[in-house]
Amino acid sequence: MNRLHMGVTFSKYMSMYTAAYNFCTNGKTGYDSLGPGRDLYMSLNRYFGSHVASTLEKLEQYEHEPLLALYAKEWGRYTTGAKYVNQLFMYLNRQWVPHERDEGRTEIHQVYTLALVKWRDWLFRRMQGNSSKLAVAVLELIERQRDGENIDQSLVKIVIESFVSLGIDDANPDTECLGVYTNYLEAPFTEATRACYKHKSEEFIADPRNNISDYLLKIEEWLKEEQDRVDRYLHSQTRNTLTRTCEEVLIEAHAQYMCENAQSLLEDGKAAELQLMYSYLSLISNGLELLRHRFGAQVKNAGLNAVSAVLGEEGIDAVNPTHYVTALLEVHRNYSEIIPKSFNADTAFVTSFDKAFSDFINRNAITALSRSKSPELIAKHADLLLRKNSKLVEEHDLETELNRVMKLFKYVEDKDVFLNVYTMKLAKRLIHGACASDESEASMISKLRDVCGFEYTAKLQRMFTDVSLSKDLTDNFRERSHDMDVGFDVMVLGTNVWPLNPPGHGFTIPREMQTTYYRFQHYYQLKHSGRKLTWLWNYCRNELRTSYLSQKYTFMASTYQTAVLLQYNKHETLSLSDLQTATSIAPEILTQVLGVLVKGKVLINDETEQYDLNPHFKSKKIRVNFNQPIKFDAKSESREVMKTVDEDRKYLIQATIVRIMKARKEMKYQPLIQEVIAQISHRFGPTIPDIKKAIETLLEKEFLERTGNARDTYAYVA
Amino acid sequence: MPCFSFCFPSHIKHLHSDGDSDTGKQEPEKENEARALKSHNPTVLSVTKYDPKQALALFMRYADSDNPDLIGPEGFEMLCNDAQILMDGAMALILSWQLDAQEMAKLTKDAWTKATSVLKVSSLPQLNVVVRDINDLLILRRPPLQRSGNKNVKESNEPYSRTRYWSYAEDSKKAFQELYTFSFSLAKPQPSRNIDMETAVALWSVLLVPVYPLMSEVLTFITEKATFKAANKDLWNMMLEFCQTVDTNLQGYDSDSAWPTLLDDFVTWKKSKQAS
């Protein structure tokens, strides 16, 4: 076995094989009852033993890399030699060994296996001993490679292969058994790996030059390196354990760190890094939950900040609806895009996003000051978009912009507030003829209907019907009254549909307008007897042609302004109280009406409470518009909206409870509350005290009663 | 701290407010008499036997001059005075309850005849004992009277038929519940579903405050808030339930439970007061 390089000729091989054969078959030489095979086997055993012992002696003087080098060399020679010997004693392998094993002596092996067993028991185990010199040397080399040194990989590969080969299952010598490899190499290797990457990762993170992106890339690098290591010289069994260990040390141990730093990645929109992070965290349990939580918190935070910024600039009463909506959409765009890009379009992330978004859209710095402000601003923005001559948007972009509004609308909890403001604004657009296009109006209504159902938009639809019916009515009336000397347009609007209120004060119709007024009144009563017409003077407007000036102007004025101006057909100067008596307009409104006319220089107010007609009025334009919204109206309008909303809510809650109880007959308090919230939340988020009050009202009205002895159960009273 | 007390409106002097000094002090000698009567041992009273004719005669003595079938508020007050039953406190309520009154301070002849025959009562001192027995049992929560060993022999010695009383004594919770429910319907004006909060507070102060100390805090809360206009039947019923369930430290209260909002608000108020 020591002169392998010389090889064996075929004839020599044959003669040796024959000698072994003869020895085994010639029973005469045997002195042992177990036969000659056993003698031969024992000799071989002794031979391998002595060879291994001498090799061990040599190896024991070395350690570290030189040890590995020598070990590899000796191992190579030993195994090659053993293979030759195995061939020579093939007869023994074929006859005697199987016979012995059949008898149950599993300690008897094929010759080659015997050689390995000898190596394992008399060399390998002793050398490993307590100090596990061999494995230590291997791990040292791997460690050096991990630190970036070039090492002799073939050395490592051979030694590790020997570990694999030495795993021998006595009962089934032909099947692979990795006991030696697993115990002597894989286990310490795993521990070393854990310690190594624990150290490396901690060091890396602690280094201020590195940020989260660097770490994520580093993980990728490390993981790849370890995968390669398996391919290069480890047994493939180790792949899973190794991967698992790396994930534990590199990802799980730093999951908190990663999630905490996800914020900066989110803020900077680093999609690739986030995707890496997502894929890493998906490998560990609860990893994605942590990330999702962070993500939600970040969305909410970004939203709150954006809203505060809008508020900070302008103050609660001056918040620009468009700025608000733009800020919300910006947050929406920034963060919703990340989900398909980086988070694998994970639906759980979508849910987190939606929840966070809805959280801050409904509860933020602005709603803290004014509860209903969020839906109000969104509705006002929609109004600005849909108005004629909107400067916000080109006509062909209008549809896209409306879709964006709808994106936000879906998150709004108080959809009833939105509807109220929207209805109010639509009413204004319709009566002032300020709609940009009927098509867009219809499109917006159908979008709202898609989200909230037919009932939600029924009133809006009716408003359009009223407007088109009014057009026919006007045409019809004009035809019948062709002798009229003034132009006349009228809108007849259903009281229960339109959110418009008649003036709270009287109004004396100017003499000049009375004929038309009575004529129409008469005409309408003929057509629809029994209907009551209420004139909304506060929403009317007129055009007046001047005849007292050298240049003829057309004044566009509100009916109140008209009433004032018409007084000057008979007088040149009038006091405030004269005007008030003549028009019956409430003083606080009248002063505002006059204010506009004075500012427009039609009237002169040199002395207190006295207004003179300006005979020298001049304007660059022939048509002069004095019809500006009166401030006083705008504020009370907003309050009015909230009042109607609150009233509507009360009835909606009560109606819902009755509907539920009618179906269920009897219900406990908690499930009833849950059911009511579930049924109403598509309109607004009812508070529990609100629901309780509604229940109390219904108990009082005897729609409900508490059942006999259960304090918490209600029954429907038929 | 406002002082709550309930008093039937006095019709003799047209006094409505219990804050008026007259109610309590108008007839000090009467009050003394009442006290004296209270300390009396019932057996000392002269026991007159029940006589339907006398019972009717007693009714007629207090009946309205223009309606002989009804004792009106004035007659009611005189009756109470003469029987030494205090108008403020629960005694007048108990009297109304026992005599099946349908309206505040009004007694009908039919109800009177029926009730007096059940109670076997035909004189003022008997009426006084009836009311005091129940007041002791349900309002002052004194231990019930001891029933003498042999019913049949001693029954005739009792000042009136205590059959009702014994059933009250057996289940005083139920009896109190009955009186409590009766008080609401008595105080409630016919077409209305509610009683106004002022009346409710007055009734609670005589019915619940003596028994449940937490109730006086509830009443302080109600008067301090001054936003509650009326008490409906549910609130009325739940108030007793609340007193029976929740102790002075609010143990037993659960905010997820179906308490009326007034009580939820009370608990919040009390907690914030304790916190500050």
Side-chain angles (χ1 to χ4, degrees):
Chain A
M1 275 186 80
N2 292 326
R3 297 186 303 276
L4 290 171
H5 55 279
M6 289 163 69
V8 180
T9 62
F10 183 69
S11 58
K12 190 157 186 195
Y13 168 76
M14 276 312 293
S15 66
M16 285 174 83
Y17 180 86
T18 314
Y21 172 79
N22 288 339
F23 185 81
C24 287
T25 48
N26 185 355
K28 276 185 276 179
T29 43
Y31 53 86
D32 193 300
S33 59
L34 287 170
R38 183 173 175 81
D39 290 345
L40 199 55
Y41 187 82
M42 292 314 286
S43 310
L44 278 170
N45 190 4
R46 278 193 299 279
Y47 174 74
F48 284 137
S50 69
H51 181 89
V52 165
S54 70
T55 312
L56 177 65
E57 222 167 277
K58 266 193 269 175
L59 287 174
E60 270 181 334
Q61 294 154 28
Y62 295 89
E63 32 184 6
H64 308 307
E65 200 177 348
L67 169 72
L68 291 182
L70 190 60
Y71 179 89
K73 193 175 139 213
E74 287 297 332
W75 167 258
R77 196 168 62 181
Y78 182 74
T79 46
T80 319
K83 274 174 200 153
Y84 281 125
V85 177
N86 192 47
Q87 289 294 320
L88 293 177
F89 293 90
M90 194 50 84
Y91 185 75
L92 196 65
N93 280 344
R94 283 192 194 136
Q95 298 295 324
W96 185 77
V97 172
H99 178 259
E100 289 294 301
R101 286 186 70 87
D102 284 349
E103 298 282 298
R105 294 189 192 92
T106 50
E107 76 278 9
I108 304 296
H109 297 287
Q110 298 271 317
V111 173
Y112 182 68
T113 312
L114 174 70
L116 294 183
V117 168
K118 273 306 201 208
W119 181 279
R120 180 187 73 189
D121 294 349
W122 294 90
L123 185 145
F124 179 78
R125 287 218 170 115
R126 287 176 181 218
M127 231 169 77
Q128 278 297 93
N130 287 331
S131 56
S132 20
K133 260 163 79 177
L134 209 49
V136 166
V138 172
L139 295 179
E140 268 171 9
L141 268 183
I142 295 178
E143 177 101 32
R144 273 159 59 192
Q145 191 181 35
R146 277 180 178 151
D147 287 340
E149 255 183 66
N150 272 327
I151 58 157
D152 185 354
Q153 286 188 43
S154 60
L155 216 52
V156 179
K157 189 173 161 68
I158 292 168
V159 176
I160 289 178
E161 270 169 7
S162 86
F163 278 65
V164 175
S165 307
L166 291 176
I168 293 154
D169 182 350
D170 283 349
N172 290 304
D174 296 331
T175 53
E176 190 180 50
C177 167
L178 292 167
V180 171
Y181 172 77
T182 311
N183 290 335
Y184 289 98
L185 191 90
E186 192 182 88
F189 172 73
T190 307
E191 276 325 297
T193 307
R194 187 186 305 280
C196 164
Y197 281 117
K198 183 173 187 299
H199 176 72
K200 275 177 189 277
S201 64
E202 279 167 4
E203 196 179 54
F204 191 89
I205 289 169
D207 190 334
R209 283 168 301 179
N210 298 322
N211 62 21
I212 179 72
S213 309
D214 299 326
Y215 184 63
L216 290 167
L217 295 172
K218 199 73 193 171
I219 294 180
E220 196 178 22
E221 190 186 310
W222 280 331
L223 287 178
K224 189 169 175 320
E225 193 183 313
E226 292 307 314
Q227 289 301 319
D228 288 352
R229 180 155 291 123
V230 176
D231 295 337
R232 275 195 224 117
Y233 45 71
L234 292 170
H235 189 271
S236 60
Q237 166 195 272
T238 307
R239 191 182 302 278
N240 286 341
T241 327
L242 179 60
T243 312
R244 192 65 221 119
T245 309
C246 290
E247 283 166 11
E248 266 170 35
V249 187
L250 296 176
I251 301 167
E252 203 159 348
H254 299 297
Q256 205 66 39
Y257 161 77
M258 285 162 75
C259 289
E260 269 161 26
N261 285 281
Q263 187 172 336
S264 67
L265 296 179
L266 286 165
E267 275 167 5
D268 302 343
K270 296 207 164 146
E273 277 91 339
L274 285 167
Q275 191 176 11
L276 259 184
M277 189 183 286
Y278 177 88
S279 63
Y280 292 153
L281 289 171
S282 67
L283 297 172
I284 63 167
S285 64
N286 291 335
L288 289 184
E289 215 173 294
L290 270 174
L291 182 61
R292 208 167 58 227
H293 190 75
R294 269 286 145 183
F295 175 63
Q298 174 59 20
V299 170
K300 189 170 165 183
N301 215 13
L304 290 175
N305 288 340
V307 171
S308 300
V310 172
L311 177 66
E313 278 164 26
E314 310 173 42
I316 182 72
D317 285 324
V319 175
N320 180 323
T322 304
H323 290 181
Y324 182 68
V325 168
T326 314
L328 296 182
L329 283 171
E330 176 81 7
V331 176
H332 191 281
R333 193 176 54 80
N334 281 347
Y335 289 94
S336 63
E337 277 178 1
I338 291 177
I339 298 173
K341 258 197 223 157
S342 306
F343 298 147
N344 198 23
D346 189 329
T347 47
F349 276 73
V350 175
T351 313
S352 290
F353 172 82
D354 285 348
K355 193 185 166 300
F357 204 82
S358 136
D359 260 3
F360 85 79
I361 211 172
N362 290 298
R363 278 164 291 280
N364 55 40
I366 285 178
T367 60
L369 296 171
S370 168
R371 184 166 62 91
S372 62
K373 202 74 181 176
S374 194
E376 199 178 308
L377 288 169
I378 297 171
K380 280 184 176 162
H381 173 73
D383 172 56
L384 294 173
L385 290 174
L386 287 163
R387 267 196 212 164
K388 205 189 269 179
N389 306 327
S390 169
K391 290 177 190 80
L392 292 177
V393 63
E394 298 294 323
E395 207 181 316
H396 55 269
D397 286 340
L398 183 53
E399 191 62 21
T400 328
E401 286 299 322
L402 292 179
N403 283 334
R404 291 208 178 112
V405 171
M406 289 309 295
K407 217 182 256 175
L408 298 181
F409 175 75
K410 283 178 192 147
Y411 293 102
V412 167
E413 279 171 10
D414 294 345
K415 293 195 164 61
D416 54 347
V417 175
F418 178 93
L419 181 63
N420 260 281
V421 178
Y422 190 85
T423 310
M424 178 63 86
K425 291 294 176 187
L426 174 62
K428 292 283 171 63
R429 287 201 296 280
L430 289 173
I431 60 173
H432 293 133
C435 295
S437 88
D438 287 353
E439 214 174 284
S440 301
E441 293 285 357
S443 149
M444 185 66 186
I445 289 175
S446 80
K447 287 182 215 300
L448 292 172
R449 188 175 47 230
D450 288 348
V451 178
C452 291
F454 177 77
E455 204 191 334
Y456 189 76
T457 52
K459 278 190 179 181
L460 303 177
Q461 211 78 55
R462 274 283 310 278
M463 287 163 73
F464 279 96
T465 318
D466 278 355
V467 169
S468 74
L469 285 178
S470 295
K471 267 185 200 133
D472 298 345
L473 189 73
T474 306
D475 291 346
N476 223 314
F477 175 65
R478 276 203 202 127
E479 257 169 51
R480 291 181 50 138
S481 336
H482 41 81
D483 56 330
M484 244 179 10
D485 55 354
V486 289
F488 179 73
D489 274 285
V490 71
M491 282 178 157
V492 179
L493 314 171
T495 320
N496 55 349
V497 176
W498 291 71
L500 304 172
N501 291 318
H505 51 80
F507 177 65
T508 308
I509 305 162
R511 192 180 43 79
E512 290 85 345
M513 287 160 66
Q514 280 180 6
T515 331
T516 322
Y517 171 81
Y518 286 118
R519 229 173 167 169
F520 181 77
Q521 195 89 357
H522 179 68
Y523 165 77
Y524 192 78
Q525 295 303 348
L526 272 181
K527 226 177 146 129
H528 306 281
S529 69
R531 285 199 196 168
K532 186 170 176 268
L533 281 177
T534 310
W535 291 72
L536 302 174
W537 298 114
N538 41 342
Y539 293 103
C540 295
R541 59 187 189 277
N542 306 74
E543 282 186 14
L544 300 166
R545 239 165 265 144
T546 61
S547 52
Y548 68 102
L549 299 161
S550 50
Q551 168 73 50
K552 294 220 186 298
Y553 291 104
T554 304
F555 288 171
M556 290 181 284
S558 71
T559 296
Y560 290 161
Q561 288 165 338
T562 307
V564 168
L565 289 174
L566 288 174
Q567 301 308 316
Y568 291 89
N569 277 340
K570 283 172 276 173
H571 310 275
E572 303 232 316
T573 178
L574 284 161
S575 74
L576 184 62
S577 65
D578 290 340
L579 284 167
Q580 221 231 296
T581 324
T583 61
S584 320
I585 301 170
E588 68 274 17
I589 295 178
L590 183 59
T591 45
Q592 289 195 56
V593 167
L594 288 165
V596 177
L597 293 173
V598 170
K599 208 173 157 222
K601 302 220 167 69
V602 183
L603 297 180
I604 303 169
N605 178 22
D606 284 342
E607 288 164 63
T608 344
E609 303 211 335
Q610 181 165 324
Y611 296 87
D612 306 333
L613 190 66
N614 177 10
H616 309 295
F617 175 81
K618 261 196 187 117
S619 166
K620 282 177 198 159
K621 291 182 195 151
I622 299 296
R623 291 169 69 83
V624 192
N625 187 11
F626 295 108
N627 193 4
Q628 298 161 359
I630 294 176
K631 278 251 167 64
F632 175 79
D633 273 349
K635 273 214 161 167
S636 70
E637 200 174 83
S638 162
R639 261 200 307 272
E640 199 65 32
V641 164
M642 258 342 273
K643 231 175 87 187
T644 20
V645 165
D646 282 342
E647 277 302 301
D648 290 351
R649 283 183 178 184
K650 253 190 226 163
Y651 292 119
L652 186 61
I653 298 177
Q654 288 180 19
T656 309
I657 296 172
V658 169
R659 204 169 42 236
I660 295 170
M661 291 303 293
K662 203 170 175 181
R664 305 278 189 91
K665 298 294 175 242
E666 207 174 288
M667 223 174 159
K668 272 188 160 296
Y669 165 75
Q670 279 295 344
L672 176 61
I673 296 269
Q674 296 313 321
E675 187 64 33
V676 171
I677 293 176
Q679 291 202 12
I680 292 187
S681 56
H682 69 280
R683 281 294 185 87
F684 65 95
T687 67
I688 288 175
D690 284 347
I691 302 174
K692 270 192 156 185
K693 288 216 172 84
I695 294 177
E696 276 164 30
T697 312
L698 293 171
L699 283 169
E700 196 178 313
K701 290 184 182 162
E702 289 171 13
F703 281 98
L704 300 182
E705 63 183 12
R706 290 187 206 248
T707 51
N709 38 18
R711 185 201 314 148
D712 273 14
T713 309
Y714 301 108
Y716 180 72
V717 182
Chain B
M1 176 94 174
C3 169
F4 305 102
S5 72
F6 175 74
C7 181
F8 274 88
S10 164
H11 288 265
I12 295 176
K13 297 203 165 181
H14 303 285
L15 295 167
H16 291 273
S17 138
D18 54 359
D20 266 306
S21 55
D22 303 59
T23 325
K25 293 173 188 165
Q26 56 187 4
E27 289 150 305
E29 65 286 355
K30 268 236 166 92
E31 211 173 313
N32 289 338
E33 264 183 58
R35 279 208 195 98
L37 225 143
K38 223 180 236 178
S39 60
H40 265 193
N41 187 333
T43 49
V44 178
L45 276 170
S46 59
V47 177
T48 44
K49 249 187 113 50
Y50 167 69
D51 174 0
K53 275 184 203 144
Q54 273 194 25
L56 191 62
L58 195 59
F59 182 87
M60 295 316 287
R61 205 189 315 163
Y62 297 101
D64 261 17
S65 46
D66 45 355
N67 184 355
D69 288 342
L70 183 81
I71 295 180
E74 281 182 29
F76 185 82
E77 193 175 352
M78 277 196 289
L79 172 68
C80 286
N81 278 339
D82 295 350
Q84 305 194 358
I85 291 167
L86 291 175
M87 289 289 279
D88 52 353
M91 303 252 274
L93 279 174
I94 294 171
L95 179 70
S96 308
W97 178 40
Q98 287 303 306
L99 296 179
D100 276 336
Q102 298 296 313
E103 282 177 73
M104 205 77 142
K106 281 183 191 167
L107 301 169
T108 63
K109 193 158 106 189
D110 283 354
W112 172 280
T113 314
K114 246 181 242 165
T116 49
S117 79
V118 169
L119 291 164
K120 304 266 186 287
V121 161
S122 49
S123 71
L124 292 174
Q126 283 174 310
L127 220 42
N128 176 280
V129 181
V130 169
V131 170
R132 252 181 326 115
D133 279 354
I134 296 173
N135 192 55
D136 284 356
L137 181 72
L138 298 181
I139 306 295
L140 304 176
R141 302 274 159 135
R142 296 208 175 123
L145 298 171
Q146 285 306 306
R147 218 161 164 169
S148 34
N150 190 336
K151 289 184 216 170
N152 297 333
V153 177
K154 302 266 174 126
E155 193 140 274
S156 54
N157 286 343
E158 290 190 333
Y160 66 99
S161 163
R162 283 208 168 104
T163 319
R164 265 191 197 171
Y165 176 83
W166 299 127
S167 75
Y168 295 156
E170 222 161 79
D171 189 348
S172 62
K173 190 179 168 188
K174 187 174 153 236
F176 184 77
Q177 173 88 52
E178 236 172 80
L179 168 63
Y180 184 78
T181 312
F182 166 82
S183 303
F184 182 80
S185 50
L186 181 74
K188 186 173 71 66
Q190 217 3 275
S192 167
R193 296 183 201 275
N194 307 326
I195 56 180
D196 62 69
M197 193 49 86
E198 214 179 312
T199 312
V201 166
L203 286 171
W204 281 324
S205 71
V206 301
L207 289 170
L208 296 182
V209 171
V211 189
Y212 304 103
L214 182 62
M215 196 57 205
S216 69
E217 285 185 69
V218 176
L219 297 187
T220 311
F221 164 73
I222 291 174
T223 14
E224 209 169 90
K225 275 276 187 181
T227 50
F228 307 106
K229 302 250 154 29
N232 58 31
K233 195 159 177 236
D234 185 60
L235 178 61
W236 182 262
N237 292 339
M238 294 309 282
M239 194 62 93
L240 176 60
E241 179 92 24
F242 185 76
C243 287
Q244 287 166 347
T245 320
V246 179
D247 71 8
T248 38
N249 298 318
L250 299 175
Q251 286 296 313
Y253 171 80
D254 173 10
S255 61
D256 290 336
S257 211
W259 295 114
T261 45
L262 182 144
L263 290 170
D264 288 336
D265 293 349
F266 162 70
V267 170
T268 320
W269 173 83
K270 182 169 157 68
K271 279 184 180 158
S272 76
K273 229 174 67 160
Q274 276 168 347
S276 64

